[in-house]
Amino acid sequence: MLKAEYEAVVNHGRLKGIIMCRYPAKYALIFLLLALSVFLFLLCNIPTLENLGWQTSSHTAFPQMRSAPPYQAHTFCSHMDLEPTPDEALEDRYLLKAIAWPKLPSRPAPAPLNQTSDPVHSLLTILPSKGQKEWHVGDQLEALVQMHDFQGSPKRYGGDFLVARLHSPELQAGVAGKVVDHLNGSYSALFPLLWGGSAQVQITMVHSSEAVAVLQRLREERPNRVFFKSLFRSGKLSETTTCIPCLPPDSAQQPLCNYTNLHTGEPWYCLKPKLLSCDTRINHAMGGYEKPLFTNQEALLFQSRLNLKVVIHASGPDRINVLPQKIDETELESSTIKAEPDKYTPSGYYYQGTWRPLGGTSVRQFNDASSITQCLTGKVIHMYGDSTMRQWFKYLSAFIPDFNLHRSKKVGPFMAVDFKNNILMNYRFHGPPIRILPVSTSELRYVASELDGLAGGPDTVVVFSIWAHFTSFPIEVYIRRMRHIRQALVRLLDRGPGTLVIIRSANFVAMDQTTSKHSSDWFSLQIDKVLRTMFKGLGVVFVDAWEMTLAHHSPHNIHPPLPIIKNMVDLVLSHVCPDK
């Protein structure tokens, strides 16, 4: 009952406004008394509520939060926002708990390299199938990983960042696995068996637990390790200063230009030029990277081909032969796979090079201009985000021949028009932070502001991908940005019912010691979890780029190759014009 009362409070303001607009005086006193009674009821039950599992509206991301401690910001990036509302503070706690990573055991000094996780000494074993001697399509395969250090000793604690996939080069098939950390040095990898024939297990150690601890330290203690710059100019006089979104504790000692967005509240600061005023700023650009970030000992934890994205080899066979389903079906269709409580169900898998989602919309193949044009006829497509979204625009714009505007090769705005078929497609980069070549400040737009300028409706498609330029900052920066975008999306869906919203998740990238400092897959994983949680239940479509790049045989790249892009766009178009 208390859950229902809380949900009533969350939605009370909006409901009251709708009803009282229709019946302005008749029910005013009734609703005033109702609001007062609910308030007094909650006030008398605060201790109970604090220990209650909360059930909130779908516009927040804390469905089952229990007795949480007072919220405390992890970094000085958190102070830049206004005081959070109770709902926002609760959501912050829930999100931070959802992405919490196992901590290293306490020790007087950091572990030497020979006592850290070594993928070469670690062991991978495929466990026997349960109750039978063979595997069939529809079964679940389990593999066990025991981590060892460079001395060959087994690890006794968890926290290693492992990823898993099951694949078949012969069948051009692949699926992402689920890794379960048992917190004692052992891990389970779970795979659904979705095709018949050969299936090979591959487990990769992206980072050791010791390396993850270093990345956590960087994120919390060095939030401005990627910095930016702006050019200020008036007449013949010009100056360049450093710009950052996170103010350090000693910032009060330096004159600043405050460019916090008035519409969204997104903060942005630049050091004030010595001779020019703040309103003479003309561009934004990537500044550079703080150095050094690693100690000599920490740098040893990020060595390619040694302990950075290294495959763990099996102690025995690493592949199995999968027989057809035991039932009469000879071909597995996505519609036959149903989520079961004790089984891991991924978002989809590759077979014959084609992505097959599990559940939901079936994917159609859009292999030529006519099929794409027919799908997009009468549509307005708005794309926002980083260069991973720009890939989608470039792919689709090749099929829209009439008009193609590129004001800036990197940031945009881009526009493509097909007058005959009434198709309009545009793209714009998200607002700062942007690691990019100089761009005019007049072209810096925040996605939430852009969404508030759309009418929406059944012929409108909104697509965005926002993650790659946020990986170096504390997670609170990303949470704040997504919260503003989510609020704008709710407003858009309210005034434009039928608007299709598609969100592209983060993907795996190529990594070395340098890129690990600011663009590690571990940072992307944390962002990806926050993104999915915050927009869950909002009626949006997710394109799972994380699994689509993990399951594919292509090397990881921040800009996935064309076969993956085509599968992603085919999935998008299948939602724009689903098979009837």
Side-chain angles (χ1 to χ4, degrees), residues 102-111 155-159 183 209-210 213:
K103 294 183 178 180
L104 295 179
S106 299
R107 60 176 73 198
K155 296 286 291 291
R156 300 302 182 189
Y157 52 89
L183 305 178
S209 55
E210 294 78 13

Side-chain angles (χ1 to χ4, degrees), residues 384-429:
Y384 306 103
D386 52 42
S387 56
T388 61
M389 180 54 55
R390 190 176 65 226
Q391 277 190 290
W392 288 12
F393 179 91
K394 288 187 174 181
Y395 179 89
L396 283 171
S397 63
F399 302 97
I400 303 178
D402 287 345
F403 179 72
N404 213 312
L405 172 65
H406 295 71
R407 185 174 298 180
S408 168
K409 291 183 179 180
K410 296 290 185 180
V411 180
F414 299 166
M415 179 182 292
V417 182
D418 183 335
F419 296 107
K420 177 181 178 182
N421 295 289
N422 194 24
I423 301 172
L424 171 63
M425 184 173 68
N426 54 55
Y427 161 84
R428 184 182 287 277
F429 220 98

Side-chain angles (χ1 to χ4, degrees), residues 8 78 98 102 114 175 195 205 239 294 346 386 431 462 515 544 557 561:
S78 306
N114 61 6
V175 64
W195 63 83
M205 188 187 85
E239 295 181 64
F294 291 157
D386 52 42
V462 172
T515 56
D544 198 335
N557 192 306

Side-chain angles (χ1 to χ4, degrees), residues 3-167:
K3 294 182 181 180
E5 294 286 357
Y6 175 76
E7 190 174 44
V9 172
V10 172
N11 296 299
H12 176 65
R14 180 179 175 188
L15 177 62
K16 183 176 69 174
I18 294 173
I19 296 178
M20 292 190 70
C21 284
R22 296 180 179 177
Y23 309 99
K26 185 176 181 180
Y27 296 107
L29 182 59
I30 295 176
F31 277 101
L32 180 60
L33 293 174
L34 176 62
L36 182 61
S37 63
V38 171
F39 173 76
L40 292 174
F41 176 82
L42 292 178
L43 189 63
C44 294
N45 288 274
I46 287 177
T48 304
L49 289 172
E50 288 177 347
N51 293 283
L52 182 68
W54 297 74
Q55 181 66 42
T56 74
S57 74
S58 61
H59 298 167
T60 50
F62 42 99
Q64 294 294 331
M65 185 68 180
R66 295 187 179 274
S67 59
Y71 174 67
Q72 293 181 348
H74 285 201
T75 72
F76 54 78
C77 285
S78 306
H79 80 280
M80 298 178 297
D81 208 349
L82 299 174
E83 187 70 21
T85 66
D87 281 354
E88 291 172 347
L90 183 59
E91 181 179 46
D92 289 343
R93 286 196 296 265
Y94 176 77
L95 291 170
L96 293 177
K97 182 178 179 180
I99 64 172
W101 201 263
K103 294 183 178 180
L104 295 179
S106 299
R107 60 176 73 198
L113 178 64
N114 61 6
Q115 295 180 17
T116 65
S117 302
D118 176 19
V120 173
H121 280 93
S122 300
L123 302 175
L124 162 64
T125 305
I126 295 179
L127 300 182
S129 57
K130 296 180 180 180
Q132 54 189 17
K133 297 182 180 180
E134 54 193 18
W135 284 275
H136 292 264
V137 170
D139 292 342
Q140 179 170 269
L141 176 68
E142 183 175 357
L144 181 66
V145 178
Q146 176 61 56
M147 299 301 296
H148 290 72
D149 61 24
F150 283 87
Q151 297 173 321
S153 302
K155 296 286 291 291
R156 300 302 182 189
Y157 52 89
D160 298 296
F161 178 22
L162 309 181
V163 295
R165 77 180 182 116
L166 189 71
H167 66 112

